[in-house]
């Protein structure tokens, strides 16, 4: 490679998360992956690097074998360099070390088995980099990895002077790092081909090589891109110009490593790509950063100043979304148990299956939120949580022992103790220091967490929803960096926020029986909020499970004394309340308990409540004098029966969030809030017992 020539390392990263709908994968394959591979097959002179995540490769092998085989043929003739990575596309830095290595080695072995190649380079999921990674990557056989040029900019380097690859290390373990050009990410494939060549020409003579590897879905699967890239010929024109430009040479990353010396050494800070850092910030800080960017951009040479701005740290998503943090900490607990069990019994098939389920549960898409992040998408959260519940069940079966187990510990790093209960059918998390609220009800046979309801929270982009046009967006070609548009009208009316996390067994006392309580947000006006208090707890084993007694601990007196007994046994989770009037004149009011529950959808066919006219799970309503209701999901064959004594008023309503995706702003059903309200009139010192129980089982 002569100095007068510029080497261009071009490539794509193809990924579909576990739990994504089959029709989405079919569409992405037909509109993006297959036509892209077809164009490559027809142009053998084009050389590039390709990364496909293991979950996508397994799907292609089973459902689109022609595309799978075509990728293999391109690799076999040396046209395509295949990259490794975490098999299920985890955020590698956050995994225990055995899982880091295991996930990489799993994908490398898959590529070797099915395509006959040993990958040397790696795609790092979401380019989430932490300085400890080089040692683990080197241990897993990785020679080079791709990061964004914004990582380098945060060290003070000029992105316009970046080129080739750099060396970095941890404890003497060295890996090569290629900087991905953000400018080219934004140009390809949205700008005209000549604009791409003009940018490359500007880099000629200044750097030895330029790299652009980005999402393969932007070549056909993003809104409007299939027509632009394929039908209108953008990709063909792009390849034509690359091949016709004498001073430009297409090469794989491995070829550059073999034929060029390193450009230099670098030590990179904790970072991801620019947008991810912005999404990780709290809403107010995110809006402040956006204003700073606009202010700097107006200055002469402002773009160079904005390159030094950075957002937050990826792990801040574990603070921003407590539901995500709980999933993460459950993953960590299971990882420790799985690897300890494998150390004692290597090669046990049941434990290896548990480890595979654990790795599925590490897939990154449900652990964060941005334009492509999935924690607001229930089906992606469900896939990850279901994988972890599957791991938990398999691990328990492999280890044998009693039908139930429980522990009390700080299991999610928040400084408070939780009670974790597992029976043959349920995995339950109880929070004594949050009033005995329940944040996990994992039904192991399905597996399904019926307590998986994401709270409604403010997001930095919600101000855009309030001012955006109410007309649905057209099909023009957009990038994820353009201002989104609402997918439906009236979304601003759904911008309500929860004052506490969506959990179950949330209790409060209301004076007087007059005003109907809002099932979604009933707490204003409550005289006693049990969920806001730390409760003393004591657990004991019972047949098939555990019972946890919860008592108010030194709290200010309220209108009633409350004793709460939570029992988990078999497939049932129940609570019994003993109320006692503590006011001299007696009490007259309502005691209310809220459950937040979710199956697989709100208004889809076959998801309904067992009430007259079978209202959908996404409906809203109110009924008096009931003692039970069931949530039915015919699609997965699960029923959750909620029963209570004595009769009470039941009110319910859907929990809906407003979030953003590559297609625009959207309203998403997260689950249903159920509020039970009992009228209570007690003379001084008089008591009353109430009970409620949730039983989950097959339909």
């Amino acid at each position: 490679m002569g100095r007068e020539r510029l080497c261009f390392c071009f490539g794509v990263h193809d990924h579909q998360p576990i739990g994504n709908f089959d029709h989405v994968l079919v569409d992405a394959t037909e509109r993006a992956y297959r036509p892209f591979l077809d164009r490559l097959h027809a142009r053998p002179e084009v050389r590039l690097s390709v990364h496909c995540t293991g979950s996508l490769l397994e799907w292609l092998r089973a459902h689109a074998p022609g595309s799978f085989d075509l990728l293999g043929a391109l690799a076999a003739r040396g046209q395509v360099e295949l990259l490794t990575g975490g098999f299920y596309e985890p955020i590698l830095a956050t995994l225990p070390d055995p899982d880091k290595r295991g996930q990489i080695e799993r994908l490398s072995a898959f590529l070797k088995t099915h395509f006959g190649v040993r990958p040397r380079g790696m795609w790092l999921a979401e380019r989430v980099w932490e300085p400890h990674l080089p040692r683990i990557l080197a241990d897993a056989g990785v020679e080079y990895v791709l990061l964004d040029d914004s990582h380098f900019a945060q060290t003070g380097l000029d992105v316009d002077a970046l080129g080739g690859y750099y060396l970095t290390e941890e404890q003497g373990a060295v890996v090569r790092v290629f900087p991905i050009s953000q400018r080219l990410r934004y140009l390809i494939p949205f700008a005209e081909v000549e604009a791409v060549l003009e940018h490359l020409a500007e880099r000629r003579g200044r750097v030895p090589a330029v790299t652009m590897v980005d999402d393969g879905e932007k070549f056909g699967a993003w809104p409007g891109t299939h027509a632009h890239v394929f039908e209108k010929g953008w990709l063909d024109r792009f390849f034509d110009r690359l091949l016709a430009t004498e001073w430009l040479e297409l090469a794989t990353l491995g070829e550059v490593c073999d034929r060029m010396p390193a450009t230099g050494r670098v030590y990179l800070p904790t970072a991801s790509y620019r947008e991810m850092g912005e999404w990780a910030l709290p809403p107010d800080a995110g809006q402040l950063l956006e204003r700073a960017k606009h202010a700097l951009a107006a200055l002469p040479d402002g773009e160079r100043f904005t390159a030094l701005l950075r957002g937050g740290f990826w792990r801040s998503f574990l603070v921003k979304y407590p539901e995500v943090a709980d999933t993460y900490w459950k993953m960590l607990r299971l990882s420790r148990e799985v690897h300890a069990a494998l150390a004692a019994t290597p090669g046990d098939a049941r434990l290896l299956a548990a480890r595979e389920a654990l790795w599925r549960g590490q897939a990154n898409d449900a652990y964060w939120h941005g334009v492509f992040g999935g924690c607001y998408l229930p089906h992606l959260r469900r896939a990850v949580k279901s994988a972890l519940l599957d791991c938990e069940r398999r691990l328990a079966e492999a280890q044998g022992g009693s039908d139930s187990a429980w522990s009390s510990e700080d299991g999610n790093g928040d400084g408070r103790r939780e009670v974790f209960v597992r029976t043959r059918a349920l995995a339950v998390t109880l929070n004594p220091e949050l009033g005995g609220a329940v944040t996990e009800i994992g039904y192991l046979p399905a597996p399904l967490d019926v307590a998986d309801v994401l709270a409604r929270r403010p997001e930095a982009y919600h101000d855009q929803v309030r001012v955006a046009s109410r007309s649905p967006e057209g099909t023009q070609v957009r990038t994820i960096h353009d201002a989104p548009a609402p997918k439906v009208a009236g979304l601003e009316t759904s911008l309500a926020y929860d004052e506490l996390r969506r959990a179950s067994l949330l209790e409060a006392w209301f004076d007087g029986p007059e005003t109907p309580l809002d099932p979604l947000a009933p707490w204003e006006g409550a005289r006693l909020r049990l969920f806001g208090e730390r409760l003393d707890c004591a657990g004991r084993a019972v047949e098939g499970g555990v019972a946890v007694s919860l008592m108010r601990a030194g709290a200010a007196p309220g209108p009633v004394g409350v004793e709460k007994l939570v029992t988990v046994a078999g497939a049932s989770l129940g609570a019994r309340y003993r109320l006692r009037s503590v006011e001299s004149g007696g009490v007259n009011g309502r005691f209310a308990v809220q459950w937040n529950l979710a199956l697989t959808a709100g208004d889809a066919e076959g998801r309904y409540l067992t009430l007259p006219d079978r209202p959908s799970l996404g409906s809203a309503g109110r009924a008096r004098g009931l003692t039970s209701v069931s949530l039915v999901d015919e699609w997965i064959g699960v029923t959750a029966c909620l029963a209570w004594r004595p009769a009470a008023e039941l009110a319910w309503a859907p929990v809906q969030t407003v979030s953003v995706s590559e297609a625009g702003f959207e309203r998403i059903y997260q689950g249903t809030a159920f509020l039970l309200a009992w009228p209570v009139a007690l003379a001084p010192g008089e008591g009353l017992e109430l009970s409620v129980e949730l039983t989950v089982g097959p339909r």
Side-chain angles (χ1 to χ4, degrees):
M1 300 178 185
R3 285 190 171 273
E4 72 281 359
R5 292 171 64 81
L6 176 68
C7 189
F8 183 35
C9 299
F10 175 58
V12 292
H13 153 66
D14 295 340
H15 170 58
Q16 293 294 326
I18 66 164
N20 213 355
F21 300 117
D22 264 1
H23 71 83
V24 175
L25 277 81
V26 169
D27 185 73
T29 301
E30 293 178 349
R31 299 181 64 82
Y33 307 144
R34 181 55 188 258
F36 189 89
L37 294 175
D38 284 337
R39 292 303 197 281
L40 288 181
H41 190 262
R43 307 296 293 271
E45 308 92 340
V46 175
R47 302 177 59 74
L48 76 167
S49 302
V50 173
H51 172 255
C52 292
T53 51
S55 50
L56 176 58
L57 286 170
E58 287 189 324
W59 187 90
L60 290 172
R61 183 180 57 174
H63 301 279
S67 298
F68 184 84
D69 292 342
L70 182 54
L71 177 61
L74 293 169
R77 73 185 188 186
Q79 183 179 356
V80 163
E81 172 193 31
L82 295 177
L83 303 176
T84 190
F87 192 89
Y88 291 105
E89 192 73 349
I91 299 299
L92 209 66
T94 65
L95 301 189
D97 285 355
D99 298 321
K100 289 184 179 76
R101 286 190 294 268
Q103 289 245 21
I104 296 170
E105 291 166 356
R106 169 92 159 81
L107 183 53
S108 295
F110 185 97
L111 296 176
K112 178 66 174 176
T113 297
H114 294 282
F115 301 125
V117 297
R118 186 189 74 80
R120 300 168 57 195
M122 191 187 88
W123 175 263
L124 186 67
E126 306 304 329
R127 281 94 80 198
V128 176
W129 176 262
E130 294 186 16
H132 71 271
L133 282 175
R135 180 179 57 82
I136 291 294
L137 300 188
D139 287 349
V142 173
E143 298 178 28
Y144 45 91
V145 65
L146 292 145
L147 296 176
D148 275 40
D149 58 12
S150 59
H151 293 64
F152 294 75
Q154 289 169 22
T155 70
L157 294 175
D158 181 356
V159 295
D160 290 334
L162 294 176
Y165 65 88
Y166 296 75
L167 302 178
T168 193
E169 59 84 28
E170 162 65 6
Q171 299 180 42
V174 178
V175 294
R176 301 172 176 92
V177 186
F178 283 83
I180 299 171
S181 167
Q182 176 181 288
R183 179 60 179 158
L184 287 176
R185 280 205 302 121
Y186 282 34
L187 289 173
I188 298 173
F190 308 104
E192 290 300 322
V193 170
E194 287 306 316
V196 177
L197 267 293
E198 288 173 8
H199 179 76
L200 290 172
E202 292 172 1
R203 309 299 299 279
R204 181 189 177 195
R206 303 175 62 188
V207 296
V210 173
T211 298
M212 202 303 291
V213 182
D214 203 3
D215 297 334
E217 294 76 25
K218 71 198 294 186
F219 297 94
W222 288 10
T225 57
H226 179 79
H228 172 67
V229 170
F230 298 112
E231 295 174 6
K232 297 180 181 178
W234 186 95
L235 189 61
D236 288 328
R237 294 194 302 276
F238 181 57
F239 286 160
D240 285 343
R241 288 290 285 114
L242 294 180
L243 294 172
T245 302
E246 293 184 354
W247 51 263
L248 195 64
E249 180 177 354
L250 287 171
T252 65
L253 302 167
E255 289 172 335
V256 170
C257 287
D258 292 340
R259 296 158 60 185
M260 285 185 182
T263 303
R265 289 192 299 173
V266 68
Y267 288 92
L268 300 168
T270 295
S272 180
Y273 52 86
R274 182 182 61 79
E275 300 91 347
M276 178 70 83
E278 295 171 5
W279 298 331
L281 290 171
D284 290 346
Q287 292 174 338
L288 187 61
L289 177 61
E290 192 64 26
R291 291 199 295 271
K293 284 165 51 183
H294 282 299
L296 286 174
L299 299 175
D301 208 20
E303 187 174 342
R304 298 176 67 85
F305 298 143
T306 59
L308 292 173
L309 292 177
R310 63 174 298 171
F313 178 22
W314 188 91
R315 293 185 192 233
S316 295
F317 286 113
L318 305 178
V319 177
K320 197 172 182 181
Y321 305 105
E323 300 91 340
V324 169
D326 281 357
T327 303
Y328 166 76
W329 281 88
K330 183 181 183 78
M331 177 273 291
L332 293 181
R333 295 194 303 273
L334 288 171
S335 178
R336 288 194 297 269
E337 294 178 25
V338 166
H339 290 292
L342 279 170
T345 316
D348 186 298
R350 295 167 301 177
L351 293 175
L352 292 175
R355 187 183 66 181
E356 191 71 20
L358 168 71
W359 288 349
R360 290 200 308 274
Q362 294 170 342
N364 82 82
D365 303 84
Y367 286 93
W368 59 279
H369 171 60
V371 172
F372 293 118
C375 78
Y376 273 98
L377 299 177
H379 64 289
L380 299 188
R381 289 201 317 275
R382 185 166 62 247
V384 164
K385 289 199 166 190
S386 294
L388 295 178
L389 289 170
D390 185 35
C391 172
E392 188 168 13
R393 178 185 61 81
R394 291 177 183 274
L395 182 61
E397 291 175 351
Q399 295 178 319
S402 63
D403 287 347
S404 63
W406 68 283
S407 65
S408 177
E409 59 184 299
D410 178 9
N412 62 5
D414 66 353
R416 297 187 287 254
R417 297 182 72 82
E418 293 80 38
V419 176
F420 300 98
V421 182
R422 181 193 50 75
T423 70
R424 291 290 186 188
L426 293 182
V428 173
T429 301
L430 180 72
N431 299 264
E433 298 189 45
L434 298 175
V438 172
T439 50
E440 179 187 32
I441 310 171
Y443 179 54
L444 296 170
L448 177 72
D449 181 6
V450 299
D452 180 20
V453 182
L454 195 73
R456 303 173 299 174
R457 295 186 177 87
E459 296 286 355
Y461 53 75
H462 280 174
D463 281 348
Q464 298 177 47
V465 176
R466 295 183 178 95
V467 301
S469 167
R470 299 191 179 189
S471 300
E473 186 190 10
T475 58
Q476 70 272 23
V477 179
R478 298 176 53 252
T479 82
I480 64 169
H481 318 293
D482 296 327
K487 293 172 69 174
V488 295
L491 286 182
E492 68 278 3
T493 63
S494 297
L495 293 177
Y497 306 123
D498 294 320
E499 63 174 291
L500 67 152
R501 180 172 169 180
R502 289 284 162 187
S504 290
L505 295 184
L506 303 175
E507 302 91 1
W509 171 271
F510 300 85
D511 285 336
E514 297 86 6
T515 307
L517 299 174
D518 177 5
L520 279 175
W523 313 119
E524 186 177 358
R527 191 170 167 197
L528 168 66
R529 300 182 178 197
L530 203 63
F531 57 78
E533 299 184 6
R534 175 189 175 276
L535 303 184
D536 287 335
C537 76
R540 68 180 190 277
V542 297
E543 184 177 356
V546 64
V548 181
S549 299
L550 298 140
M551 299 283 291
R552 298 181 72 197
V560 291
V562 182
E563 297 179 17
K564 179 177 177 180
L565 177 67
V566 177
T567 302
V568 184
S572 296
L573 163 67
R576 188 170 75 243
Y577 304 95
R578 289 178 177 156
L579 308 183
R580 181 175 54 84
S581 171
V582 297
E583 295 196 334
S584 58
V587 295
N588 184 16
R590 286 166 293 175
F591 186 73
V593 180
Q594 188 188 66
W595 294 73
N596 288 280
L597 303 173
L599 296 181
T600 63
D603 292 317
E605 183 179 354
R607 284 82 154 185
Y608 56 87
L609 300 174
T610 54
L611 295 171
D613 300 325
R614 298 208 311 188
S616 74
L617 299 182
S619 65
R622 191 179 300 272
R624 298 179 184 274
L626 298 179
T627 58
S628 69
V629 66
S630 291
L631 295 72
V632 178
D633 192 316
E634 294 180 351
W635 186 60
I636 59 169
V638 169
T639 296
C641 178
L642 196 60
W644 55 91
R645 292 290 186 277
E649 179 185 71
L650 170 69
W652 70 95
V655 179
Q656 296 177 317
T657 56
V658 176
S659 59
V660 66
S661 73
E662 69 272 24
F665 297 118
E666 56 194 355
R667 184 186 293 115
I668 298 178
Y669 168 82
Q670 299 293 340
T672 304
F674 296 89
L675 189 72
L676 299 172
W678 287 273
V680 178
L682 297 175
E686 185 180 5
L688 174 68
E689 186 170 294
L690 310 170
S691 66
V692 60
E693 184 176 66
L694 178 74
T695 302
V696 188
R699 180 175 176 271

